[in-house]
Amino acid sequence: MHDLVIRNGLVYDGLGGKPYEADVAIDGGVISAVGTVSAAGREEIDAAGQIVTPGFVDPHTHYDGQVTWDPYLQPSTFHGVTTAVMGNCGVGFAPCAPDRHHWLIGLMEGVEDIPGTALFEGIKWNWESFPEYMDAVEASPLAIDVGLQLPHGALRAYVMGERGARLEPATREDTDKMATLVEDALNAGALGVTTSRTEKHRDKDGEHTPTYKAEEMELTGIAEAMKRAGNGEGKGVFQLIADFRDIDWEFDLLRKVVEVSGRPLSLTIEQDDRHPDIWHQVLDKIAEANNDGLPMRGQVPPRATGVVMGLTASINPFLLYSTFHEIMPRTLDAQVAALNDPDFRARLLAENVEYKEGEISTQLFSWFHKMFRLGSPPDYEPAPEDSVAAHAEREGRDPREVLLDWMAEDDGKALIYFPLMNYLPGDLSFVEQMLKHPNTAFGLSDGGAHVGIICDSSFPTTLLTHWGRDRTRGEKLPLEWIISGQTKRTAELVGLYDRGVLAPGMKADVNVIDFENLTMSRPEIVYDLPAGGKRFVQKTRGYTATIVSGVVAFREGEPTGALGGKLIRGSQARPAAAGVQAAAE
């Protein structure tokens, strides 16, 4: 008798081939058979009319604090995620000296928009070094598997103190100390090292992230440590975000990191309206690097990086209006009443607000052609004619009046969607190019971050529903290719070859999905962070069962109470019994 048998499902095995009807048997936390399974299971799931996939691997999350208090890592687990990798973009909570706790929380609060009050309340700081942080996560209850990466920002501040926070160049002594800690972290099981080189990343006081101007000696010193790790065999992956304003110089520096380390590198790809051509130039550089034998990938999203605004969100387009600040302390009902009050509206709209040229806030608060209603289910490829600007033009009104009407809908719980990045054409055609590029991988959900303005942890469901089933404003993509892209390929991106494929010997992380009826709700604000902090979550219908290591951990996205997740220590080899060829092997 098997531990668990999933019967009669349409199997998408993660290899990218056409689906086939089969049973899946699981024993001892691994897949024991895929095909016709005659023996019974102690537990059985009838998947007739549904699809069966590997569990989804999210390589780009920011649950570094939340993982120490929330075993379920919501909202990612509403969307079939069975492995989450954190520590991205150079920010995290280890290593950290006891006198730097406040500073490091301020960095995460600013860069990733995670409430500092929640972090102060939730994090217990029972670690200092990165290996100690790994031990603390390993001792925490977990419903899914998690992988940790060493964040360069925390590392730099730990070694250099205030000099590191002030962006001073690292000395050779600083670099050598960082390199030693990199080796220690990788040998303890860190999946990689991450950094940030973007002006968008600032702490809560507006100061640049400490790694913003890290120089060649510092980065190649880290790369040399990655090469030395594992008794000289090399360990880990390198992940980063950069602006690429001087693309030739910046990319040559990254090539050196890969050349010196011999390790794979992935970096954020996004189209910024202020610099609309850089994303394509970076992809061309990545293609050249791969042609030269350097393993580099772009991490790309399946939709626009979308900011969510409204009365319940952390921001809305009227935040710079002093008149609006009068009602901010009021209850939601009172705010809605004010928005519908002609006298209040008149005073609000009479204000003349000046915006700074080139600032993202200027786009968010005044680009009405990129503001859309966010319904339920949400439309993440809205048409230009549905924007605030288009409605205002047709109705002969001030677009701000239209916006106030929309914000007051649904008793003030209505949301405005602003596709900030990747939406210059007014559709997802740029995103389609990113997804199809031979040297990219799916990522950038930022699960656990930007909790009051962005809810992109639903990316896995967007890939299935929008690109695999519902898209009308462009080409759909093959579902088997999509599923492989967020299982086998994302697992391999971070060195995990033991999962992402449904085959005997592989780790039994599995999703059973009612694909035809799979639906996302609109994001909603909940107040469930430590200290009552608020965040967006986005639920689904259609994830019948999410299985982690052979045990059903979630039904319809909700926890069953099973806590079989584990900390992943280091790259995981392909099981010998699996007989599955990996792309990078």
Side-chain angles (χ1 to χ4, degrees):
M1 180 174 283
H2 298 289
D3 292 343
L4 174 64
V5 179
I6 304 166
R7 296 199 182 277
N8 309 313
L10 186 63
V11 172
Y12 288 81
D13 60 17
L15 294 172
K18 292 295 182 182
Y20 49 90
E21 292 187 2
D23 305 328
V24 178
I26 296 170
D27 292 285
V30 300
I31 296 169
S32 53
V34 179
T36 300
V37 176
S38 56
R42 294 180 179 85
E43 181 179 358
E44 297 204 359
I45 297 173
D46 183 4
Q50 303 186 71
I51 66 173
V52 181
T53 78
F56 301 148
V57 178
D58 189 336
H60 195 112
T61 76
H62 292 280
Y63 290 114
D64 307 74
Q66 187 175 332
V67 71
T68 65
W69 73 72
D70 173 18
Y72 302 114
L73 297 186
Q74 294 169 340
S76 288
T77 49
F78 292 133
H79 301 274
V81 172
T82 56
T83 300
V85 179
M86 54 207 70
N88 287 284
C89 299
V91 289
F93 295 110
C96 186
D99 63 349
R100 302 292 288 179
H101 292 172
H102 284 63
W103 178 85
L104 206 52
I105 285 176
L107 179 64
M108 183 67 88
E109 184 177 9
V111 172
E112 300 299 344
D113 182 38
I114 302 172
T117 52
L119 296 173
F120 278 116
E121 179 75 18
I123 296 177
K124 303 309 179 189
W125 294 111
N126 51 335
W127 64 82
E128 179 171 332
S129 70
F130 194 83
E132 289 170 346
Y133 171 65
M134 297 192 74
D135 291 343
V137 172
E138 189 168 43
S140 302
L142 298 169
I144 67 172
D145 284 4
V146 299
L148 308 179
Q149 299 173 104
L150 175 66
H152 186 195
L155 173 69
R156 192 173 209 268
Y158 185 73
V159 169
M160 297 177 62
E162 198 60 35
R163 291 186 299 115
R166 292 197 304 264
L167 311 186
E168 292 184 18
T171 64
R172 169 49 63 185
E173 182 181 2
D174 294 330
T175 300
D176 289 345
K177 288 180 179 178
M178 281 189 256
T180 297
L181 296 175
V182 168
E183 279 192 77
D184 291 345
L186 293 172
N187 288 333
L191 295 184
V193 182
T194 73
T195 195
S196 170
R197 304 180 63 79
T198 176
E199 55 88 18
K200 296 191 292 290
H201 284 177
R202 298 171 183 263
D203 68 16
K204 67 181 181 64
D205 297 320
E207 300 297 329
H208 285 290
T209 188
T211 60
Y212 178 50
K213 293 184 177 181
E215 297 181 352
E216 180 177 333
M217 180 181 70
E218 183 175 348
L219 292 175
T220 55
I222 290 172
E224 288 167 355
M226 297 177 74
K227 183 177 182 179
R228 290 194 300 268
N231 296 317
E233 295 181 1
K235 281 180 176 286
V237 297
F238 197 88
Q239 182 275 333
L240 78 146
I241 180 173
D243 291 326
F244 295 107
R245 298 293 183 262
D246 184 347
I247 187 169
D248 291 333
W249 175 83
E250 191 99 54
F251 205 88
D252 283 348
L253 178 59
L254 301 185
R255 285 182 64 117
K256 289 176 183 175
V257 169
V258 179
E259 290 167 351
V260 170
S261 69
R263 307 305 303 165
L265 177 149
S266 70
L267 57 94
T268 295
I269 301 292
E270 57 187 7
Q271 175 267 312
D272 186 333
D273 289 3
R274 300 170 300 172
H275 310 280
D277 298 322
I278 288 179
W279 71 276
H280 214 293
Q281 296 168 10
V282 174
L283 283 178
D284 288 344
K285 293 280 190 183
I286 289 174
E288 291 174 11
N290 279 274
N291 289 337
D292 294 338
L294 299 178
M296 303 178 75
R297 293 286 183 272
Q299 282 197 36
V300 299
R303 65 185 194 229
T305 302
V307 174
V308 182
M309 300 187 286
L311 293 177
T312 60
S314 293
I315 64 172
N316 71 72
F318 295 97
L319 278 186
L320 299 183
Y321 288 69
S322 59
T323 305
F324 185 83
H325 281 252
E326 296 174 14
I327 68 170
M328 287 178 64
R330 301 181 189 175
T331 65
L332 183 60
D333 287 344
Q335 290 180 5
V336 171
L339 296 194
N340 289 323
D341 178 5
D343 291 338
F344 178 81
R345 279 197 179 207
R347 288 195 298 115
L348 183 70
L349 298 179
E351 278 197 52
N352 182 25
V353 176
E354 293 187 4
Y355 300 100
K356 295 181 180 179
E357 186 176 352
E359 294 288 334
I360 286 178
S361 61
T362 299
Q363 298 180 41
L364 293 174
F365 298 160
S366 67
W367 285 20
F368 302 110
H369 68 287
K370 291 187 75 174
M371 298 182 190
F372 303 89
R373 277 189 177 104
L374 192 64
S376 189
D379 179 5
Y380 287 115
E381 194 170 11
E385 57 266 28
D386 294 326
S387 69
V388 166
H391 275 265
E393 184 175 0
R394 287 194 297 270
E395 298 167 11
R397 304 171 67 200
D398 184 328
R400 296 175 300 168
E401 291 185 76
V402 175
L403 193 55
L404 288 170
D405 287 346
W406 289 7
M407 288 171 56
E409 291 174 350
D410 193 17
D411 299 323
K413 296 177 183 176
L415 298 173
I416 307 299
Y417 179 64
F418 191 106
L420 179 63
M421 305 287 182
N422 315 319
Y423 214 70
L424 183 63
D427 59 27
L428 293 178
S429 54
F430 282 178
V431 171
E432 183 177 334
Q433 294 178 49
M434 295 176 188
L435 293 173
K436 290 180 173 179
H437 194 280
N439 304 121
T440 61
F442 304 162
L444 308 184
S445 82
D446 275 353
H450 310 294
V451 296
I453 59 173
I454 291 175
C455 195
D456 286 348
S457 55
S458 57
F459 277 179
T461 305
T462 290
L463 279 160
L464 295 178
T465 56
H466 187 74
W467 291 100
R469 190 189 67 195
D470 297 338
R471 193 177 188 217
T472 59
R473 302 188 62 219
E475 178 186 345
K476 296 184 181 71
L477 299 176
L479 187 58
E480 60 269 21
W481 180 83
I482 290 170
I483 289 170
S484 180
Q486 61 182 352
T487 55
K488 179 177 184 287
R489 284 160 48 203
T490 45
E492 292 177 357
L493 180 72
V494 289
L496 304 179
Y497 295 93
D498 63 335
R499 66 199 66 204
V501 174
L502 299 181
M506 298 291 285
K507 190 174 186 294
D509 293 346
V510 187
N511 279 315
V512 179
I513 305 170
D514 181 3
F515 177 65
E516 293 304 317
N517 296 302
L518 181 61
T519 308
M520 273 191 290
S521 301
R522 183 178 69 189
E524 60 180 306
I525 285 288
V526 297
Y527 293 83
D528 65 352
L529 290 176
K534 76 176 184 181
R535 61 174 179 150
F536 274 117
V537 299
Q538 189 169 20
K539 296 187 176 183
T540 58
R541 294 186 302 277
Y543 286 99
T544 301
T546 295
I547 297 160
V548 177
S549 294
V551 177
V552 178
F554 302 88
R555 295 189 188 276
E556 289 295 338
E558 297 296 338
T560 64
L563 296 174
K566 294 181 180 179
L567 171 70
I568 305 164
R569 288 193 180 264
S571 178
Q572 302 296 304
R574 183 77 75 210
V580 178
Q581 184 67 26
E585 288 180 325

